[in-house]
Amino acid sequence: MRPVAVVGNIALDRVDGGPPRIGGAPYYAARSLRVVGRPARIVTKCADADRTTLVPRLAAMGIPVSWRASEHTAAYSISYRGDERLMTVDKLGEPWGADETDGWLEKAVARAEWIQVGALYRGEFPPETLELLARRRHLLLDGQGIVRPAREGPLRLEGVHEPDVLRHLSVLKLAEDEAQALLGDVDEDSVGALGVPEVLVTLGPRGSLLFQNGRLERIPARGIWDRDPTGAGDAFAAAYVVGRSLGHSPPTAARRATAVVATLLMSRRR
């Protein structure tokens, strides 16, 4: 069985004023991958000074990790007001250039057929990098890599269309606010105009929307309102990629991913 891969920067997250903790797609995807128990690999970067703190936490999930030092570590401050999330970008992570894709990154993901690209901001994964990653592979891109501008400070989403990015994707995963920023009205016409075969719009405790074959389908979820939802989208994306790599249909993969996220959320403290 060919493994899936997750590519993205580790982050330091400060949630609701608490101490910095490990975050970013690699960590939350690894938690999901541990639950589903399928072969996978994590490919990530952070500052060398943070390696001994962050990388062992990631490796403890039991997923093989390929790591390279970057100049600095991505950092975010996150707070919640009910189901509304407020974010400040304290430090942008290092972008992933096409030169890396021809070198260590390509070697790390060589056996993968499906890759979850855990982008944190626009331009972190340039079109040239995605084009190389997509050769003989399927890519799921986090919509943060389209609607989050590459600047530090309070996060303000921008609905910028990126056709050079979208054309390399098999799946685009958007949070609800990201979908609204990018599309305005989230309907079959607006989502279909993106040109991506499969689009997922996560709605938190209300489930998700799945677009495929020109139609939007609602995927229900068990409403879990009293848990920290940080990283739920990354966990959902990882489980979805695994489902698709196993040959499940998009609706089945989305339902299975929803169940995995519920399991992870219920394991967290209130």
Side-chain angles (χ1 to χ4, degrees):
M1 179 184 300
R2 295 175 65 179
V4 301
V6 180
V7 180
N9 286 314
I10 308 175
L12 282 169
D13 290 344
R14 187 183 296 273
V15 181
D16 288 330
R21 70 190 199 192
I22 186 172
Y27 176 68
Y28 292 111
R31 296 183 75 241
S32 179
L33 292 167
R34 181 172 62 173
V35 171
V36 299
R38 296 294 179 179
R41 176 171 290 278
I42 305 293
V43 187
T44 192
K45 298 190 291 187
C46 69
D48 188 57
D50 294 318
R51 179 183 184 181
T52 57
T53 301
L54 298 179
V55 176
R57 291 287 311 280
L58 185 57
M61 297 295 104
I63 311 298
V65 177
S66 295
W67 172 86
R68 174 175 278 193
S70 58
E71 184 177 350
H72 46 258
T73 301
Y76 294 83
S77 295
I78 306 167
S79 62
Y80 292 96
R81 296 176 182 172
D83 60 349
E84 179 186 10
R85 180 176 64 179
L86 303 176
M87 296 189 66
T88 297
V89 182
D90 300 317
K91 195 71 176 178
L92 291 171
E94 185 177 281
W96 295 71
D99 56 333
E100 293 178 295
T101 316
D102 283 337
W104 77 284
L105 177 54
E106 174 60 30
K107 182 178 180 180
V109 302
R111 295 185 58 242
E113 184 178 6
W114 280 83
I115 298 178
Q116 175 184 349
V117 181
L120 292 169
Y121 63 88
R122 187 165 58 246
E124 186 179 22
F125 287 86
E128 298 79 13
T129 301
L130 296 174
E131 180 180 11
L132 291 170
L133 284 175
R135 290 178 180 173
R136 305 176 303 280
R137 304 185 187 98
H138 301 283
L139 301 187
L140 179 151
L141 177 71
D142 194 308
Q144 295 171 165
I146 296 177
V147 301
R148 287 187 180 182
R151 61 171 177 259
E152 296 170 1
L155 180 63
R156 301 286 186 270
L157 302 181
E158 297 177 351
V160 178
H161 285 263
E162 296 277 358
D164 289 342
V165 168
L166 295 173
R167 66 190 179 90
H168 301 300
L169 308 182
S170 296
V171 187
L172 175 65
K173 199 281 294 180
L174 296 160
E176 185 174 15
D177 57 348
E178 295 164 355
Q180 291 171 346
L182 183 63
L183 303 172
D185 294 330
V186 181
D187 55 31
E188 290 175 350
D189 289 340
S190 63
V191 178
L194 295 173
V196 181
E198 299 166 30
V199 179
L200 295 159
V201 180
T202 54
L203 307 173
R206 294 179 287 114
S208 60
L209 295 173
L210 167 67
F211 176 86
Q212 60 147 350
N213 296 327
R215 298 185 60 186
L216 275 173
E217 177 179 349
R218 185 68 172 260
I219 307 296
R222 175 183 177 185
I224 301 173
W225 299 88
D226 58 348
R227 299 295 197 278
D228 177 0
T230 306
D234 297 318
F236 180 91
Y240 183 84
V241 163
V242 168
R244 295 293 285 122
S245 74
L246 292 173
H248 295 307
S249 68
T252 299
R255 287 191 289 269
R256 290 166 63 95
T258 300
V260 169
V261 172
T263 298
L264 291 169
L265 290 178
M266 290 303 294
S267 70
R268 291 183 178 178
R269 295 180 180 178
R270 296 177 185 271

